[in-house]
Amino acid sequence: MSTSPYSGAEIKRGAAHFLVGKFASALLNVIIIFWLVRLLTIEDYGAYVALVAGMEFALAITSLGLPWVAARYLPEFRLHASGIQLENFIWQIIGWISLFLIASSLLLFLVMPWLLAPIKFAQYTDVARLYLIVLFIGGLGRHLQDTALGPLLQQGRAQISIVTRNITFPLFLGVAAVQGEVHLNQLVLAELAASVLSTSVAVLGLIRHLRSRHDFPGRVGWNPPTWSEMWCVGRQMYVTELVALAYSRQVLIFMTQRFLGVETTALFGFLLNLYGQVARYLPANLLFGLIRPKLVASYVDKGCMAELTRNANLVGKLNLFVLVPLLIFAWLAGNELVSILSGGKFIHSGNILAGLLLALIPLSQLQILVTVAVVSDKSQLVTWGSVFGLLALPLAFWLLELGWGLWSPVIAMIVGQVLFNTILIGALEYTTTYRPDTIGFFKLLASALLVFTLGFLVKMAWAGAFHPDLNGSVGFLQNIQSIVSMILTQQIAVPGDGYIGLAIMAALALGLFLLVSYCFKPFLVEERTRLNRLLNRNIFVW
């Protein structure tokens, strides 16, 4: 029996903890998102969206590549180092991260009025300064979950910390709501209290795990990599992240606030929350939270690029397999979905949500490509890809100036991710033996296009929206133009009322996609066998 901390048994146990925790977190996150948009005024909700974007921006800047150092080298330390070496390495990383968070929070406290003035948020200076405490405590907790517990395959402890935050946050918020109208400062205080509890749980979980490993002797003859070696990976990835930040969704939120105002920012922030929920629970996040340590560990032991390529292609196709039905559903029923989920505050914006989900196609593949590059010691290629993605930023400015509204940041996101992917795939193919499964990806995208066309025709027929000339040649071009216009503006009502109509469209999108995928067979026989063996069920027959 294998005693490896990254053995198949450990992976399955970690997967069970991960999936249970993710399911609970997803449910609680959805509740929080929908409650907040109903609880706050549009102005306060828009300001909260900007605060969260600022926190994400600050966390990326203050990381200095340390999460990638942990992702690359923690599995190696876990396999070969003694308990004391492992403990020292982890606390060094956490110590550096804490120091950078404290320094950045103090600096932001001083310059906050100058930062908020350009985006017309000067009236929120006091609340933003209070939110800096959330930046430090909540940011530290996130690093403990993702940077330390994740690569150690301590998914149970990490998920307990996340669920603790997602349970206590709405509880504290509910106490404030019972007392009267909830304002932004009360929301920040509730999030701060929840972050304190969540981070405390993560610290205790990490301490207990390290104590259980304290007496481990380590592998004889193994020499730990020096910090200069590890900083090479961290520095390269940090430069990449800084470049990518220039056209990140956080920057696009600030641009939206500057050009389109707080109400449009609130809408964009709500749609990005829905987009984030889908992105967070795609299979690629299993790669980052669970499978990535296994990939690193197997590559360190065997240096096998072929196995890494097979795993990367499998996870990439799983991403699309999960994403495509959601994307089709958003195009077919987006307006009704956004209206219901926002409590009627945001209407006629389903096409924007569908556009954001379309941006997830290249984004989901990008995460996998970056992991392949880092694991195979080609992290410099990621920097070049991010540089080409910078072209998305002037594109967003140009479209905003032309009056394209919210389509401006959405198109910029799609273009930036596509450019990043294209450059990175080409560079990996040129410098390594990595090859994407082009045929499998094409089958999935072809399935998506066919299912959307069928679903749209069924939807039009159900709504009685067929043009009488569609069966003839007269007015054919006008009818095509009318259909395209309806696709872009989403003017066809969902059959049925409310949730019933949404359920019908969801079943239609999923059912048609499964049927077409069964015919197209995007997964290889070997991939279907591996998935069925992992799940202990003969589920994947596609």
Side-chain angles (χ1 to χ4, degrees):
M1 181 180 293
S2 174
T3 58
S4 170
Y6 300 101
S7 64
E10 290 295 326
I11 291 291
K12 285 189 176 182
R13 184 168 64 179
H17 293 157
F18 183 85
L19 292 174
V20 170
K22 279 295 184 182
F23 177 79
S25 296
L27 180 61
L28 292 167
N29 268 325
V30 168
I31 292 172
I32 292 170
I33 290 171
F34 298 158
W35 192 23
L36 286 181
V37 76
R38 289 166 168 80
L39 198 61
L40 299 175
T41 64
I42 290 181
E43 291 76 13
D44 278 357
Y45 186 78
Y48 181 67
V49 167
L51 287 178
V52 174
M55 176 180 174
E56 299 290 342
F57 197 80
L59 286 176
I61 290 178
T62 57
S63 70
L64 271 74
L66 286 168
W68 278 103
V69 171
R72 171 60 182 86
Y73 291 103
L74 249 184
E76 185 172 343
F77 271 80
R78 182 68 176 85
L79 285 169
H80 305 320
S82 67
I84 295 176
Q85 286 176 314
L86 175 65
E87 188 173 340
N88 289 338
F89 178 59
I90 289 177
W91 288 123
Q92 282 178 331
I93 291 179
I94 298 301
W96 281 113
I97 287 174
S98 301
L99 179 62
F100 297 145
L101 282 174
I102 292 173
S104 63
S105 298
L106 292 175
L107 178 61
L108 287 172
F109 183 87
L110 295 175
V111 302
M112 190 64 71
W114 291 274
L115 291 177
L116 296 181
I119 59 173
K120 304 174 183 178
F121 270 163
Q123 69 272 29
Y124 293 105
T125 300
D126 292 337
V127 176
R129 282 175 166 169
L130 178 62
Y131 203 72
L132 292 175
I133 307 177
V134 179
L135 167 64
F136 171 64
I137 298 177
L140 179 60
R142 190 181 304 184
H143 279 296
L144 287 165
Q145 296 155 7
D146 299 337
T147 304
L149 293 172
L152 292 171
L153 278 189
Q154 295 301 298
Q155 297 296 333
R157 290 185 167 99
Q159 293 304 317
I160 289 173
S161 174
I162 295 171
V163 171
T164 298
R165 186 263 180 196
N166 289 340
I167 289 177
T168 54
F169 180 34
L171 286 178
F172 289 129
L173 199 57
V175 172
V178 169
Q179 297 175 353
E181 186 177 353
V182 176
H183 298 286
L184 189 57
N185 60 333
Q186 295 167 304
L187 172 64
V188 172
L189 288 173
E191 186 170 358
L192 175 59
S195 298
V196 170
L197 289 175
S198 174
T199 303
S200 300
V201 170
V203 170
L204 290 175
L206 180 59
I207 290 174
R208 288 176 180 173
H209 175 69
L210 293 178
R211 282 180 178 173
S212 69
R213 293 274 308 173
H214 186 76
D215 296 328
F216 185 77
R219 181 174 295 183
V220 177
W222 178 76
N223 294 316
T226 64
W227 269 101
S228 61
E229 295 177 68
M230 293 187 287
W231 272 115
C232 287
V233 173
R235 184 171 57 249
Q236 195 74 50
M237 293 307 299
Y238 182 61
V239 171
T240 300
E241 289 178 347
L242 288 182
V243 175
L245 271 179
Y247 54 95
S248 66
R249 59 179 176 174
Q250 290 78 29
V251 171
L252 294 176
I253 286 175
F254 297 143
M255 290 174 59
T256 302
Q257 164 59 27
R258 178 68 179 84
F259 282 88
L260 304 177
V262 67
E263 292 189 6
T264 306
T265 302
L267 168 60
F268 190 42
F270 178 72
L271 296 178
L272 280 176
N273 277 330
L274 299 179
Y275 159 93
Q277 289 303 305
V278 177
R280 191 173 293 117
Y281 298 105
L282 286 176
N285 284 287
L286 289 175
L287 177 70
F288 274 73
L290 179 67
I291 299 176
R292 184 173 65 176
K294 173 66 175 179
L295 293 179
V296 175
S298 61
Y299 189 80
V300 167
D301 275 353
K302 301 176 183 179
C304 183
M305 192 66 188
E307 182 65 19
L308 182 61
T309 299
R310 284 193 291 269
N311 288 331
N313 283 328
L314 176 57
V315 176
K317 288 191 288 186
L318 274 175
N319 271 347
L320 285 184
F321 189 78
V322 173
L323 178 60
V324 164
L326 297 174
L327 176 59
I328 296 169
F329 173 57
W331 276 114
L332 295 177
N335 280 342
E336 186 77 6
L337 177 66
V338 174
S339 178
I340 289 177
L341 296 182
S342 67
K345 284 191 175 181
F346 305 122
I347 58 175
H348 304 307
S349 53
N351 52 344
I352 303 293
L353 175 63
L356 285 173
L357 293 184
L358 189 63
L360 274 180
I361 292 179
L363 177 64
S364 64
Q365 303 308 307
L366 178 61
Q367 294 172 325
I368 301 165
L369 293 170
V370 168
T371 302
V372 171
V374 172
V375 171
S376 59
D377 297 323
K378 302 291 182 182
S379 56
Q380 70 276 8
L381 301 179
V382 185
T383 303
W384 285 109
S386 66
V387 169
F388 279 89
L390 269 174
L391 296 174
L393 189 60
L395 175 63
F397 273 108
W398 182 58
L399 293 176
L400 284 168
E401 291 286 355
L402 289 178
W404 282 53
L406 271 185
W407 275 111
S408 306
V410 172
I411 293 173
M413 288 174 66
I414 296 173
V415 170
Q417 301 297 347
V418 169
L419 287 173
F420 202 149
N421 279 23
T422 302
I423 297 300
L424 192 50
I425 289 174
L428 283 172
E429 288 185 334
Y430 182 75
T431 58
T432 71
T433 58
Y434 169 78
R435 297 293 182 272
D437 183 5
T438 307
I439 295 176
F441 286 117
F442 175 78
K443 287 181 177 180
L444 282 167
L445 294 177
S447 300
L449 182 60
L450 177 59
V451 171
F452 170 71
T453 303
L454 293 174
F456 185 71
L457 292 176
V458 170
K459 180 180 176 181
M460 285 200 301
W462 199 332
F466 276 109
H467 194 283
D469 288 337
L470 279 178
N471 294 323
S473 58
V474 179
F476 177 75
L477 292 178
Q478 290 88 339
N479 290 322
I480 295 297
Q481 182 180 6
S482 175
I483 290 175
V484 172
S485 176
M486 284 187 289
I487 293 174
L488 293 177
T489 57
Q490 291 280 283
Q491 294 300 318
I492 300 177
V494 175
D497 294 321
Y499 291 106
I500 296 177
L502 291 178
I504 291 173
M505 295 309 300
L508 175 66
L510 179 61
L512 285 174
F513 177 69
L514 292 179
L515 177 62
V516 173
S517 295
Y518 179 79
C519 297
F520 281 20
K521 299 267 189 307
F523 292 100
L524 301 174
V525 175
E526 176 196 358
E527 292 171 336
R528 298 197 294 268
T529 302
R530 291 175 63 189
L531 289 170
N532 291 332
R533 187 167 57 245
L534 177 64
L535 298 172
N536 291 324
R537 296 288 187 277
N538 191 27
I539 296 175
F540 280 86
V541 294
W542 299 281

